[in-house]
């Protein structure tokens, strides 16, 4: 049916999306005599425009989402320490998105709110990440990785969230971007005979709490909050 719903048609509904882009990347690196490396990069990338893959109720859901553009800035360091027994890396980054593609909801009478891919006109993420790898003795490997993210819808974005509230979600965190994530791993291997090795290890993964839909102080989505959690793996 057409967007007004209720008027049957056998006329094909045609949608076209004609886009182009030129991604690019530039960077500088400097390596010290000690083996340490510092770098800085800036790049632009694109995610192709898309028509929602959901089973539609009306042709309204076929409206395409434009291509997503990302301008990314990153600077960091990689450093071997203590004769290579310790490897450290750290970086800071800033991502500026235009027309970021997200799953959101649109009103489709008489069914109510149905999903569609929409564009967030302007959003950003900045963050810090670090990793350290330690091999204090042969066979024992210890690693720790962590990342901090701060995300925001930086421009006006009027839509429904998953809980059904319509409004402007400027200032909302981007869904599924926890502020803190980390993983630690310990692995020890040793010989048990001439031709065999045994290994023991474990890892602990932490993911901080995050929203899974757009929210503000007045447009809530508490039914769709994802609590923080940790996973312990022993092997």
């Amino acid at each position: 049916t057409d967007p007004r719903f209720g008027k049957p048609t056998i006329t094909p509904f045609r949608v076209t999306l004609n886009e182009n882009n030129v991604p690019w990347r530039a960077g500088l690196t400097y390596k010290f005599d000690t083996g340490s490396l510092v770098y800085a990069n800036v790049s632009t990338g694109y995610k192709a425009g898309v028509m929602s893959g959901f089973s539609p109720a009306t042709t309204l859901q076929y409206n395409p989402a434009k291509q997503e553009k990302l301008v990314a800035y990153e600077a960091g360091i990689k450093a071997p320490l203590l004769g290579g027994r310790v490897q450290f890396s750290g970086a800071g980054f800033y991502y500026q998105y235009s027309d970021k593609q997200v799953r959101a909801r649109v009103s489709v009478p008489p069914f109510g709110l149905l999903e569609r891919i929409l564009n967030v006109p302007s959003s950003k993420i900045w963050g810090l990440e670090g990793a350290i790898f330690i091999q204090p003795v042969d066979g024992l490997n210890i690693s720790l990785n962590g990342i901090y993210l701060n995300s925001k819808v930086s421009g006006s974005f009027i839509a429904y969230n998953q809980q059904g509230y319509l409004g402007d979600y400027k200032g909302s965190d981007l869904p599924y971007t926890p502020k803190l994530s980390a993983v630690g791993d310990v692995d020890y291997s040793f010989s048990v005979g001439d031709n065999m090795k045994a290994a023991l290890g474990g890892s602990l993964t932490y993911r901080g709490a995050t929203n899974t839909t757009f929210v503000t102080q007045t447009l809530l989505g508490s039914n769709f909050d994802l609590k923080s959690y940790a996973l312990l793996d022993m092997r």
Side-chain angles (χ1 to χ4, degrees):
T1 67
D2 69 3
R4 291 168 292 176
F5 187 75
K7 180 183 177 182
T9 179
I10 59 172
T11 303
F13 181 76
R14 303 187 185 278
V15 181
T16 60
L17 189 62
N18 186 6
E19 299 178 316
N20 58 77
N21 59 68
V22 179
W24 55 267
R25 181 179 184 273
L28 293 172
T29 62
Y30 182 81
K31 189 173 183 178
F32 296 91
D33 293 339
T34 58
S36 297
L37 178 77
V38 293
Y39 66 91
N41 298 318
V42 58
S43 60
T44 298
Y46 296 83
K47 183 179 180 181
V50 64
M51 297 171 193
S52 299
F54 313 117
S55 298
T58 74
T59 53
L60 174 65
Q61 288 176 273
Y62 278 132
N63 289 344
K66 297 184 292 185
Q67 67 180 352
E68 173 184 311
K69 178 183 178 181
L70 169 63
V71 181
Y73 305 87
E74 181 179 359
I77 183 173
K78 298 179 180 180
L81 305 170
L82 301 178
R85 290 284 185 179
V86 177
Q87 302 281 340
F88 170 80
S89 63
F93 55 88
Y94 177 80
Y95 294 161
Q96 179 66 56
Y97 291 93
S98 300
D99 294 318
K100 183 173 178 63
Q101 297 173 9
V102 297
R103 292 179 64 158
R105 291 185 178 267
V106 293
S107 179
V108 182
F111 302 109
L113 299 181
L114 301 180
E115 288 198 326
R116 204 182 91 195
I117 302 295
L118 297 179
N119 292 112
V120 179
S122 179
S123 56
K124 61 185 179 180
I125 298 176
W126 68 266
L128 300 169
E129 60 181 336
I132 188 167
F133 174 82
I134 306 171
Q135 190 180 51
V137 296
D138 292 342
L140 178 59
N141 298 316
I142 303 170
S143 64
L144 178 64
N145 301 270
I147 183 168
Y148 172 83
L149 294 176
N150 186 295
S151 68
K152 282 290 180 291
V153 176
S154 51
S156 178
F157 174 54
I158 299 175
Y160 289 93
N161 69 359
Q162 297 288 353
Q163 200 149 319
Y165 293 120
L166 173 65
D168 189 346
Y169 289 94
K170 180 179 180 180
S172 170
D173 292 350
L174 290 172
Y176 297 100
T177 52
K179 289 190 180 299
L180 183 62
S181 300
V183 57
D185 186 90
V186 178
D187 187 84
Y188 180 61
S189 61
F190 53 94
S191 297
V192 286
D194 295 334
N195 300 311
M196 297 181 65
K197 278 191 173 183
L200 300 172
S203 62
L204 181 64
T205 302
Y206 172 81
R207 183 182 175 96
T210 181
N211 53 309
T212 63
T213 187
F214 294 96
V215 294
T216 67
Q217 291 183 346
T218 55
L219 301 166
L220 305 179
S222 56
N223 289 348
F224 295 87
D225 288 344
L226 184 63
K227 295 181 180 180
S228 61
Y229 63 90
L231 301 175
L232 176 63
D233 166 62
M234 305 297 289
R235 58 189 181 273

